[in-house]
Amino acid sequence: MTDLCGQIRFFGPSARRLETAQYIRVNGKGDRKTPCKPVLEKILSENDWNVPPPNIVISVTGGASQFRFDSQLKDAFGAGLVKMASNSGAWVVTGGEHSGVMKLTGQALAHCRSEEGHSVPCIGICTWGRVHMKDTLTVDAETLYDSSSKSGKKNITPLDPNHSHFVFVDDGIESDSPKRTHQPWHGEFNKAIQNYDFEHNIKVPVVTVLVNGGKGSLDTVRESLEKRVPVVVVKGSGRCADALAFIMDSAIREMRADGNYDLTWTEADDEAIYRCIKDTFTSENDLRTKTETGDIFNRKAVEDLVDDLKTLVKTGLESKDSPLLAVYDAFGKSQSSLHRELDYVVLMLVFRSSKHVQDSVDLALGWNRADIVRDELLSLALNVEKVTNEKWAKFMDKALENELHEFVRVFINEGLVDMGKYVTTEKLEGLYLIQMPVNAANQLQERDRNNILAKYGLSSTPTNGSQGKRYHRLSPTPGPTSGSQEDLFISSSGNEDEGFHTLFLWALLTARWEVAEVLWSYCREPIAAALAASVVLRAWSKRVRGHSVHVEWWTELKEQRRKWAQRALDLFSIYYEQDPEEAAKLIVRRADHWGEQHLLKLAAESKNMNFIAHECVQKHLTEQWMGGIDTTTSTWKILSSIIFFPLVSWLIDVDKQDGEDETPNDMGRKVTTSERFATFYCSPVLKFWLYLFAYSLFLCFFSYSLMVRWKPNSLTGPDGVTLLWVVAILLEDLYQMYMTKPKALSIFRFCTDLLSSFNAFAFIKVFAFLLYFAGFVVRVAVPHDDDDEYPLNFRWARMLLSIDICLFFIRGMELSFLNSHMGPKLTMIYKMVGRMAVYVVDLIGSEMFCADCM
């Protein structure tokens, strides 16, 4: 294939640092011409240049020695080229010389490598006979190359140090041959890329970008158009590019019968084009004729150039559905400019020039440019219908897998994917097998996923033939009378809402945060979905907390949980501002897709205190707490009515809640005494005070039994009453635990959930009951000497029960947390004691150590 290859190490003022480029020499003459495919394989081979396969190839051509660019053009072109190349996974191909547009391209990509860290392959295809210092290049060796050195010859220019690879074409042209800017092997190389079978099975598009350029650049443009390679003309860069842009702007388009265009120009347009040529080609010798008075433009040569330019424009614009020419206006003044950014113009032109819609969408997915698909779907509406649903489903798969969230939004908005039919059991199997986009891919095991979903009433079950894999469902947990196992899954004809909720949970459980946010916006119950997401992430973070290797991942989960909690609060606040009454109803409305739980329950599960502290939620809780009693009723009125019940008629005001069953005749009717008494004695606040009084009485009775009526050899009446009271409290606590857990959970699942929700007060409750029964057994069941006035078991039992009554007193403090006045103060004391416990233990240990030393 070649007799010369190696590396070039650049140095000199034009090289920012010691840059290294790989090169190869190929034969470009006659029958011995080197095929392009072996060269392309060498570029891609891991054992050779190991360049990643491209998603698009950008071939930059144009002016060289006669090109002078200003700062605005440099910034606009450079920024657009860098953005396009780095974000789209492109190769950039130029002539490789250290002059003109090739130098400008190299500088832009060098800035991209040094400042932004992106490594964009920049390949220079040069004529071997015009390479400066070519004699210094040797086989399989690294050559030092001074890119700032001058050759002294007109047609010899140094190599650009900002190119990463070079292909030298030995086509027999030497330095003393006439200057030729068009390199035929360059076009063949571009064609080889278009026809090459890459691993991703997508034909890689090639686009030519014309910047400035003389008559020689027209050959490159003509060859590109003949091979259906799109060409973007950079207006404002001068000469050939400006002339082409001017002709495109002034063309009159007439629709033909076949739907394509005929382009014509008026005589006034021809004169304007002639003046444009004179203004732009100021130093082109081929267009001038020497006379006695000086050099003047040759009218015939200019008209021939205009005819060539018009022919190129007609070739590029005659097709309505797939144009091959577009204008990028670096200064933002062109009428035919599609967009201010170069990357958008280039990618849009490639998208439009594709013959098949599915190929265009495939390309846009590789570029991650959903905006192009969104803007072009309307113009391609007729062709979109030709794409099968299976193909759109594959596009959706790719978007979900690669976290292309904007594509997910476009596919849903445009109705290209039916979510009810898209989300099936088999689809979920494939999606859950995709590796998570984080280094914590194995942190969420299958069992953990099921436990997290069961946290808020969702269940999962193995699917037939899936080797035990489990996937969640979005309907309430089934009871014993549910249908078959297949009913637990979303069927192929499931509704669209379930599809959104299913994929939303999948995105959360696979850490695709941006995709989850897009899918969340389509959920029917977005507030409940955001709270449920917070529940899921809280349960997940608890499973990775404490592992030193997962500290960063735990922090990420904690931050995502905070974001979802804030989204729920923000959305609920907006809803409350628009309609306070409906917001109040929304709090207690059960979410069908989230285990039939209401917002308040989900907020409590996720520990979203900001949501619970919302004005609407607090107002609702207060109303529920008062149970129909006027919320402005003071505590002393309630206590007075408890002590002396006739005061209920005078001290207790009852609110008539909206939504109750009442006729127009009931409007304005006063509340009767019986309704007032019924409301008062059925209110939660009364039950709380009565329970508090009863518990206080229990503590007094327990204290009296332990300190006054305690007898060693017999059980007294107060002892029996205390025992029954403790058993009643135990049964009440068990009933409350059962009522707050999902009813369909197994005994093991119930116990596991109970242990996971343990806190300090729960531990005190359990220990208090165990200690009481231990003391009671020691007192009654342990044998003792009847003649002993204070037997040993009596003393042990009294000591255990003395400690136990302290625990019951502490347990009683939990009731005080519900009080609006005492609750915040006790919360502060509770946290302060918890933080001081470490210091107290340390202080006691220090005192004991000092005592031993003394």
Side-chain angles (χ1 to χ4, degrees):
M1 181 180 69
T2 180
D3 57 349
L4 186 63
C5 60
Q7 290 185 341
I8 302 174
R9 184 172 291 273
F10 292 97
F11 68 95
S14 58
R16 297 192 176 191
R17 59 183 185 275
L18 289 178
E19 302 280 359
T20 301
Q22 296 173 303
Y23 70 89
I24 183 175
R25 186 176 66 182
V26 299
N27 195 330
K29 293 182 292 187
D31 297 337
R32 294 182 300 169
K33 181 183 295 185
T34 303
C36 297
K37 186 174 181 180
V39 178
L40 188 56
E41 292 175 347
K42 179 179 180 65
I43 295 175
L44 296 168
S45 174
E46 295 181 359
N47 299 324
D48 290 305
W49 289 4
N50 193 24
V51 179
N55 291 322
I56 183 174
V57 175
I58 305 168
S59 178
V60 182
T61 187
S65 58
Q66 298 185 30
F67 177 40
R68 302 292 183 266
F69 49 85
D70 57 17
S71 59
Q72 184 176 354
L73 176 63
K74 177 181 178 181
D75 294 340
F77 174 77
L81 180 65
V82 167
K83 181 180 178 181
M84 173 174 52
S86 58
N87 294 340
S88 304
W91 286 2
V92 179
V93 182
T94 74
E97 299 177 2
H98 189 55
S99 63
V101 67
M102 299 164 282
K103 178 180 178 180
L104 176 61
T105 302
Q107 289 176 347
L109 297 180
H111 178 77
C112 175
R113 287 193 295 267
S114 60
E115 299 296 332
E116 303 180 16
H118 298 293
S119 180
V120 178
C122 186
I123 303 173
I125 299 179
C126 314
T127 301
W128 172 251
R130 302 188 187 279
V131 175
H132 181 45
M133 297 194 304
K134 63 180 181 181
D135 297 335
T136 61
L137 303 179
T138 56
V139 179
D140 297 329
E142 183 177 272
T143 303
L144 289 176
Y145 193 97
D146 184 3
S147 59
S148 61
S149 63
K150 304 295 183 180
S151 64
K153 295 183 179 181
K154 181 179 180 180
N155 294 334
I156 299 295
T157 55
L159 301 175
D160 184 71
N162 296 312
H163 282 57
S164 58
H165 305 82
F166 289 94
V167 178
F168 300 131
V169 181
D170 188 2
D171 55 1
I173 297 197
E174 298 297 335
S175 59
D176 54 354
S177 301
K179 180 68 174 177
R180 188 183 70 184
T181 58
H182 175 60
Q183 174 54 261
W185 198 90
H186 188 159
E188 296 174 6
F189 181 74
N190 292 339
K191 184 177 180 181
I193 293 177
Q194 288 181 302
N195 298 328
Y196 192 81
D197 293 328
F198 291 93
E199 295 180 357
H200 42 60
N201 296 324
I202 299 177
K203 296 299 182 181
V204 175
V206 179
V207 59
T208 299
V209 178
L210 176 63
V211 184
N212 191 270
K215 292 183 63 177
S217 300
L218 294 181
D219 296 334
T220 303
V221 174
R222 183 179 297 104
E223 183 181 26
S224 298
L225 295 177
E226 290 173 353
K227 296 178 179 179
R228 295 199 58 79
V229 173
V231 178
V232 174
V233 178
V234 179
K235 183 180 180 180
S237 59
R239 302 171 71 202
C240 188
D242 281 1
L244 272 174
F246 187 84
I247 294 174
M248 291 172 63
D249 282 341
S250 58
I252 300 175
R253 302 187 184 190
E254 297 178 356
M255 183 75 71
R256 296 203 304 257
D258 58 359
N260 294 324
Y261 291 116
D262 274 332
L263 276 67
T264 59
W265 290 265
T266 64
E267 294 183 0
D269 291 334
D270 290 338
E271 287 298 324
I273 293 171
Y274 179 79
R275 290 193 299 270
C276 176
I277 296 293
K278 292 178 62 176
D279 294 337
T280 54
F281 287 86
T282 56
S283 58
E284 200 79 15
N285 294 328
D286 295 341
L287 302 178
R288 293 177 177 274
T289 302
K290 292 184 178 181
T291 64
E292 297 179 356
T293 58
D295 294 344
I296 61 171
F297 273 95
N298 187 330
R299 181 82 185 190
K300 181 66 171 61
V302 173
E303 290 177 352
D304 291 341
L305 176 61
V306 170
D307 290 340
D308 289 343
L309 293 174
K310 286 182 178 180
T311 301
L312 294 179
V313 171
K314 289 179 180 180
T315 304
L317 297 181
E318 66 178 357
S319 176
K320 174 185 175 183
D321 295 330
S322 56
L324 296 175
L325 269 177
V327 174
Y328 164 67
D329 189 354
F331 303 98
K333 298 178 180 179
S334 176
Q335 297 177 356
S336 61
S337 178
L338 297 176
H339 200 272
R340 287 296 304 276
E341 297 181 357
L342 176 63
D343 62 315
Y344 186 93
V345 178
V346 172
L347 298 180
M348 177 68 80
L349 181 61
V350 175
F351 187 90
R352 288 180 174 179
S353 63
S354 180
K355 294 183 178 180
H356 303 287
V357 176
Q358 55 265 33
D359 295 339
S360 300
V361 178
D362 263 332
L363 293 174
L365 283 166
W367 305 331
N368 191 17
R369 293 302 298 263
D371 55 337
I372 295 178
V373 177
R374 180 182 62 247
D375 295 344
E376 284 298 290
L377 278 178
L378 293 178
S379 63
L380 298 177
L382 297 178
N383 294 328
V384 167
E385 297 178 357
K386 300 178 182 179
V387 183
T388 61
N389 293 332
E390 291 77 11
K391 191 64 177 179
W392 287 118
K394 290 182 179 180
F395 291 152
M396 189 68 165
D397 292 343
K398 188 174 182 179
L400 291 172
E401 178 180 355
N402 298 310
E403 292 189 274
L404 306 177
H405 60 283
E406 288 299 329
F407 276 96
V408 176
R409 190 187 303 277
V410 170
F411 293 155
I412 296 174
N413 284 344
E414 301 297 334
L416 302 175
V417 177
D418 184 353
M419 299 302 291
K421 297 180 180 180
Y422 173 76
V423 182
T424 61
T425 302
E426 294 77 12
K427 182 67 66 178
L428 285 176
E429 290 179 6
L431 290 176
Y432 273 113
L433 292 176
I434 298 173
Q435 186 176 6
M436 293 169 59
V438 291
N439 293 329
N442 298 321
Q443 290 173 4
L444 190 62
Q445 301 299 329
E446 195 60 43
R447 182 180 60 185
D448 294 334
R449 183 188 304 150
N450 298 329
N451 293 341
I452 289 174
L453 293 174
K455 196 71 176 169
Y456 51 96
L458 302 178
S459 67
S460 52
T461 183
T463 180
N464 297 332
S466 61
Q467 301 180 352
K469 290 288 177 186
R470 296 170 179 261
Y471 304 98
H472 58 267
R473 60 188 293 278
L474 290 176
S475 53
T477 305
T481 60
S482 295
S484 62
Q485 218 177 32
E486 287 76 7
D487 295 336
L488 297 177
F489 296 99
I490 298 172
S491 65
S492 59
S493 59
N495 63 60
E496 193 174 29
D497 293 332
E498 290 183 341
F500 286 127
H501 287 79
T502 301
L503 285 184
F504 172 64
L505 276 180
W506 166 81
L508 282 178
L509 295 174
T510 55
R512 287 169 167 81
W513 312 128
E514 292 179 331
V515 174
E517 186 174 352
V518 171
L519 294 170
W520 168 72
S521 64
Y522 296 95
C523 292
R524 173 174 290 183
E525 301 162 329
I527 301 177
L531 291 173
S534 184
V535 173
V536 170
L537 295 174
R538 178 174 178 267
W540 192 354
S541 62
K542 287 175 64 177
R543 279 170 167 77
V544 300
R545 184 174 56 189
H547 299 279
S548 57
V549 296
H550 297 156
V551 173
E552 293 183 0
W553 180 232
W554 175 78
T555 304
E556 174 68 16
L557 289 175
K558 186 177 179 181
E559 176 63 18
Q560 287 297 327
R561 173 194 164 195
R562 184 196 64 79
K563 289 181 178 179
W564 283 107
Q566 188 62 39
R567 287 189 183 106
L569 177 60
D570 293 342
L571 191 58
F572 184 76
S573 298
I574 295 174
Y575 195 54
Y576 176 69
E577 291 175 0
Q578 295 176 351
D579 195 337
E581 294 183 359
E582 287 298 323
K585 296 177 182 178
L586 187 64
I587 296 175
V588 293
R589 185 181 302 159
R590 295 190 178 275
D592 296 335
H593 295 287
W594 305 106
E596 291 192 349
Q597 300 195 37
H598 49 74
L599 298 186
L600 199 56
K601 177 65 175 177
L602 291 172
E605 286 283 348
S606 63
K607 302 296 182 183
N608 191 346
M609 297 307 171
N610 291 331
F611 188 91
I612 296 175
H614 190 273
E615 177 185 358
C616 182
V617 178
Q618 287 298 304
K619 183 180 178 181
H620 167 75
L621 292 175
T622 303
E623 292 175 351
Q624 294 295 313
W625 175 249
M626 298 302 288
I629 301 175
D630 188 4
T631 55
T632 61
T633 304
S634 60
T635 303
W636 73 267
K637 291 182 179 182
I638 296 176
L639 294 178
S640 300
S641 300
I642 293 174
I643 297 172
F644 190 59
F645 69 90
L647 294 176
V648 172
S649 300
W650 292 279
L651 299 181
I652 303 301
D653 295 327
V654 177
D655 288 334
K656 192 70 173 178
Q657 298 292 334
D658 295 336
E660 295 183 1
D661 296 332
E662 55 178 285
T663 63
N665 295 329
D666 294 331
M667 298 297 294
R669 181 178 61 85
K670 293 183 178 181
V671 179
T672 62
T673 302
S674 59
E675 290 176 342
R676 195 183 303 272
F677 272 88
T679 302
F680 177 71
Y681 283 103
C682 292
S683 62
V685 64
L686 178 70
K687 296 177 182 179
F688 165 75
W689 284 113
L690 291 178
Y691 186 85
L692 185 61
F693 291 156
Y695 193 80
S696 302
L697 184 60
F698 160 73
L699 293 177
C700 294
F701 212 90
F702 195 178
S703 303
Y704 173 76
S705 172
L706 186 61
M707 294 187 293
V708 178
R709 298 298 300 273
W710 186 266
K711 293 184 179 180
N713 298 321
S714 63
L715 290 176
T716 62
D719 294 332
V721 173
T722 304
L723 175 62
L724 294 177
W725 216 322
V726 171
V727 172
I729 295 173
L730 175 61
L731 293 177
E732 172 67 18
D733 288 348
L734 292 176
Y735 176 75
Q736 290 184 7
M737 286 188 293
Y738 173 76
M739 293 301 294
T740 55
K741 298 297 177 183
K743 306 302 181 296
L745 294 181
S746 63
I747 298 298
F748 174 77
R749 182 67 228 163
F750 178 83
C751 296
T752 305
D753 261 8
L754 192 62
L755 291 175
S756 65
S757 61
F758 244 46
N759 54 26
F761 277 108
F763 176 80
I764 290 174
K765 289 180 182 180
V766 174
F767 194 63
F769 289 124
L770 294 177
L771 204 59
Y772 178 82
F773 290 116
F776 186 83
V777 169
V778 169
R779 180 185 180 187
V780 175
V782 176
H784 60 277
D785 188 0
D786 294 336
D787 297 332
D788 191 355
E789 183 177 3
Y790 292 101
L792 180 62
N793 68 318
F794 170 79
R795 294 196 299 270
W796 273 100
R798 191 166 192 176
M799 182 186 67
L800 291 176
L801 293 178
S802 298
I803 298 174
D804 185 53
I805 195 173
C806 296
L807 295 179
F808 272 103
F809 269 99
I810 297 174
R811 181 186 182 277
M813 292 177 60
E814 185 181 18
L815 298 174
S816 302
F817 277 96
L818 298 176
N819 188 274
S820 59
H821 300 289
M822 297 181 61
K825 299 180 178 61
L826 291 175
T827 301
M828 290 188 293
I829 295 173
Y830 172 72
K831 292 184 177 181
M832 290 172 61
V833 171
R835 294 172 181 175
M836 291 176 59
V838 178
Y839 301 101
V840 172
V841 172
D842 184 56
L843 181 61
I844 295 175
S846 301
E847 291 292 337
M848 293 176 62
F849 177 76
C850 294
D852 293 340
C853 294
M854 296 177 62

